[in-house]
Amino acid sequence: MKLADGFEIGFLERTHGFKGEVVLQLDVDNPSHYKKLGSVYLFKKGKLIPFFVSGSKPLGRDELLLKFEDIDDETAARDLLGSSVHLPAEALPALHDDQYYYHELRGMQVIDDILGLVGTALDVYETPQQHLLAFDHQGKEVLCPLNDELVYRVNKKAGIIHTRLPEGLIDVYLD
């Protein structure tokens, strides 16, 4: 699997006990979807490495205790700490037609009600204050708050993000 073919669900935060167990700190909307994992990919030293999960148990709302096959002691488990944990995109829970995952926005056309086609979606940046839709406009990256007022509809089938951009937003990035 390539990094772009999947999604991150969290990172390995700490060891637990002496038998190679680790604590996965989940960073997902609904942690209960990930209680039972069969295998995961760890991003370590610039590569995704598959690991098979021989046991998992919820520790709290946002934590899972994981036991990997062939990781049998604290030293081996400690080597995995800090690794981000990934799953293939197919493992994402199904959404309703009017819902979307941020990674699905990449490559979609961004169309404004007044300006028409303004660019192509590049990514979504998640900041503590707000999430931002990044799109390419004439070779410049433009950031737009990702909220229902400004990004009011996403048509996944057509690959279009419908927006009502504030007047002058794009001009700020062109100067």
Side-chain angles (χ1 to χ4, degrees):
M1 178 176 93
K2 295 178 186 168
L3 201 55
D5 297 334
F7 64 103
E8 183 178 330
I9 62 170
F11 69 97
L12 299 181
E13 181 179 48
R14 64 184 186 276
T15 59
H16 184 84
F18 303 104
K19 296 183 180 179
E21 294 175 310
V22 291
V23 175
L24 166 59
Q25 177 65 48
L26 292 165
D27 183 17
V28 294
D29 291 335
N30 191 346
S32 65
H33 284 290
Y34 305 97
K35 282 194 253 182
K36 302 270 187 211
L37 297 171
S39 63
V40 297
Y41 291 86
L42 300 187
F43 190 66
K44 190 169 167 54
K45 296 181 181 174
K47 294 181 183 178
L48 283 174
I49 304 165
F51 279 82
F52 293 98
V53 178
S54 60
S56 68
K57 180 173 96 175
L59 279 181
R61 176 173 147 52
D62 296 332
E63 292 183 330
L64 271 181
L65 181 62
L66 296 180
K67 176 71 174 95
F68 294 120
E69 289 181 10
D70 301 324
I71 303 295
D72 297 318
D73 59 48
E74 184 181 10
T75 302
R78 195 172 299 282
D79 287 341
L80 304 176
L81 297 184
S83 300
S84 57
V85 180
H86 299 256
L87 292 175
E90 304 85 55
L92 284 167
L95 296 176
H96 298 287
D97 287 340
D98 61 340
Q99 297 175 312
Y100 54 87
Y101 289 109
Y102 288 162
H103 74 274
E104 293 177 301
L105 300 180
R106 288 186 205 117
M108 286 189 178
Q109 292 184 330
V110 180
I111 297 179
D112 181 71
D113 283 353
I114 295 172
L115 301 172
L117 178 63
V118 292
T120 303
L122 299 171
D123 211 343
V124 172
Y125 300 126
E126 298 181 52
T127 68
Q129 297 80 15
Q130 64 186 344
H131 296 182
L132 300 167
L133 173 66
F135 63 91
D136 176 73
H137 177 78
Q138 299 176 359
K140 302 275 186 177
E141 182 181 62
V142 176
L143 301 178
C144 167
L146 187 56
N147 61 45
D148 293 341
E149 204 173 290
L150 301 178
V151 177
Y152 67 91
R153 194 171 96 220
V154 173
N155 184 332
K156 292 191 291 189
K157 289 182 183 174
I160 297 173
I161 300 169
H162 295 274
T163 65
R164 292 185 186 108
L165 299 176
E167 187 176 331
L169 175 74
I170 291 177
D171 295 334
V172 169
Y173 292 92
L174 296 179
D175 292 338

